[in-house]
Amino acid sequence: MSTHQIDAKLTELGKAMRKMREAMTALPNRLGGFSKEHTEAARKVAAMVTTVEAARPLFDTDRRKPKARRR
């Protein structure tokens, strides 16, 4: 997986989380504890995003090894 793919997936995840937050504004407060569930999920996603971003150098496959010289 390249860093470009990671960037794309993290961007998609960010958009999905923003959509969910916007949808939450339409719900009445404390609807079946969903707000608490959302908050916990958002925290876990944030932790995962931070971990993936910290590990980004490990995923960097864009750098190619120099070609061996012919003799």
Side-chain angles (χ1 to χ4, degrees):
M1 184 174 254
S2 71
T3 55
H4 297 294
Q5 290 171 320
I6 292 171
D7 289 339
K9 295 301 176 190
L10 291 176
T11 301
E12 289 175 20
L13 183 60
K15 287 179 183 178
M17 293 301 288
R18 278 190 291 280
K19 274 185 163 180
M20 189 182 322
R21 186 180 341 132
E22 290 171 6
M24 289 281 299
T25 61
L27 294 176
N29 286 342
R30 299 180 185 168
L31 180 67
F34 184 72
S35 181
K36 180 181 174 186
E37 298 286 332
H38 172 265
T39 302
E40 289 176 9
R43 285 183 180 148
K44 289 179 182 180
V45 168
M48 185 271 312
V49 167
T50 303
T51 303
V52 169
E53 286 180 346
R56 184 180 305 239
L58 301 174
F59 294 108
D60 193 10
T61 58
D62 292 341
R63 284 186 259 155
R64 295 187 179 156
K65 294 179 183 176
K67 292 182 180 179
R69 283 194 262 162
R70 295 181 116 185
R71 295 182 187 196

